[in-house]
Amino acid sequence: MIPFNQGRRPWRRSVAAMLLALLAPARAGAATDIAAWPLDEQRGSRTMEAVSGRHDPVEYVFNHARFKPDSDPLWRPAGACIRGGCLLFDGYSTDITAPGLTAAQLGAGWTISAWVAPHAFEWGDGGQYSAFLSQFDEGSKTGFAFGMYRFGTWGIKLGFGSGEFDLRVSDRKLPRDAWSHVAASYDPRGRVVRLFLDGEQVAAGSAPAQGSFALPARALTIGRYSQPRTVEGVFQLNTFLGLMDEVRIAAPAACMPTWRPTAARRPRWRRPTSPSHRSRSPATGIARSTTRCRIPAG
């Protein structure tokens, strides 16, 4: 059993709300949500995309079980999540499929973000990410794949038709069984790609001058790479394992606020000493939010 705490403690929800309040002011003036998945359902096999009101399918191996009663995806209650409920991706069968994004939506630049608490890291078969969000086509070299890689490294790959650009973070790895806020942005004016961890810019790079960022006519997937490698044609790899909450896609490219929680201040899980005892260290404070990056002028 994956050792995620499912207890309900009001102060944890208050801390998460404070973090979201810190993130909101910097985002509100600079970007508008194109799509957002709060993942608050806590039951059922669909999740609401909050901007359109659309309900997207959540795939799970036991949605239509063969040798047992059907059961819902692994929703988690508010006490284990950042805000409201969240979803545990099992690293095997769980993903969310949504209509693909378009050039009209992302043409002026974009920022994608999510709260993630990975439980384990894949090897990265085929050199591909275990994706948080993905809409990538290898044949045409178009789209994006944002996710994690072996040993907690993480990053984003973008396709420009004539080539790919992969920006990866290896010195600020994602912790296991602890919440992290990850974000990536692309500003076409300077062809600049940025990565943010807990609101702090941790990597930036310039995409190649040749080609232009384009999106394939392919579905957007949450929790799995668009073209996963398979084992025996059955088991799909390049799949996220862990909790995910508050997934967002916004436009245009935006700076993120900086907040610097220490390891002790992050919602964090420890391995249980017994099946009936699970705990995570308390959140004791939040640092002040500031803006760190500057979007280059056109």
Side-chain angles (χ1 to χ4, degrees):
M1 181 177 293
I2 297 174
F4 287 120
N5 186 294
Q6 299 183 39
R8 296 176 179 269
R9 296 188 182 181
W11 61 264
R12 287 180 181 141
R13 293 193 291 273
S14 299
V15 169
M18 291 171 66
L19 293 179
L20 289 165
L22 288 173
L23 288 169
R27 187 176 63 201
T32 302
D33 281 348
I34 295 172
W37 293 266
L39 302 177
D40 290 339
E41 280 73 15
Q42 300 189 32
R43 61 182 297 177
S45 58
R46 288 187 174 271
T47 186
M48 185 181 72
E49 191 286 295
V51 176
S52 66
R54 183 187 66 240
H55 288 79
D56 295 324
V58 182
E59 295 298 328
Y60 178 56
V61 65
F62 294 129
N63 281 348
H64 305 287
R66 294 182 60 188
F67 304 110
K68 63 178 286 295
D70 295 349
S71 54
D72 289 344
L74 302 174
W75 301 103
R76 290 298 180 256
C81 306
I82 293 297
R83 183 178 183 180
C86 58
L87 180 60
L88 174 57
F89 291 73
D90 64 5
Y92 152 59
S93 68
T94 313
D95 66 22
I96 299 168
T97 304
L101 300 165
T102 66
Q105 291 175 299
L106 302 189
W110 43 266
T111 302
I112 56 180
S113 63
W115 285 93
V116 297
H119 178 61
F121 306 107
E122 288 185 311
W123 182 248
D125 291 80
Q128 307 302 337
Y129 291 109
S130 304
F132 312 134
L133 295 97
S134 180
Q135 186 179 335
F136 194 87
D137 184 80
E138 296 177 23
S140 62
K141 296 182 180 179
T142 55
F144 68 89
F146 179 41
M148 62 188 191
Y149 199 62
R150 63 188 67 156
F151 308 126
T153 58
W154 59 285
I156 188 167
K157 177 175 69 170
L158 279 70
F160 292 85
S162 58
E164 301 173 359
F165 179 73
D166 197 332
L167 181 64
R168 194 167 297 181
V169 177
S170 57
D171 58 341
R172 297 285 300 275
K173 297 177 180 178
L174 298 178
R176 291 180 59 251
D177 299 335
W179 283 109
S180 299
H181 187 264
V182 291
S185 70
Y186 174 65
D187 185 356
R189 294 174 296 175
R191 302 178 73 86
V192 177
V193 185
R194 290 186 170 91
L195 292 172
F196 304 87
L197 178 61
D198 294 336
E200 178 185 358
Q201 181 176 304
V202 293
S206 296
Q210 297 77 26
S212 58
F213 177 73
L215 289 161
R218 180 180 285 276
L220 172 72
T221 55
I222 300 173
R224 195 190 307 275
Y225 178 58
S226 300
Q227 295 173 288
R229 302 315 187 248
T230 61
V231 177
E232 299 298 328
V234 176
F235 301 102
Q236 294 183 319
L237 306 175
N238 310 119
T239 301
F240 176 74
L241 169 57
L243 289 171
M244 197 180 303
D245 202 358
E246 300 297 323
V247 180
R248 281 186 164 80
I249 304 169
C255 289
M256 301 293 287
T258 295
W259 55 273
R260 295 175 176 272
T262 65
R265 289 170 180 163
R266 291 177 180 165
R268 188 179 183 88
W269 291 267
R270 300 188 184 101
R271 287 189 177 275
T273 54
S274 70
S276 61
H277 177 72
R278 299 186 180 101
S279 63
R280 66 181 174 183
S281 58
T284 56
I286 303 169
R288 186 181 300 274
S289 171
T290 59
T291 298
R292 291 291 297 270
C293 72
R294 295 291 184 271
I295 301 298

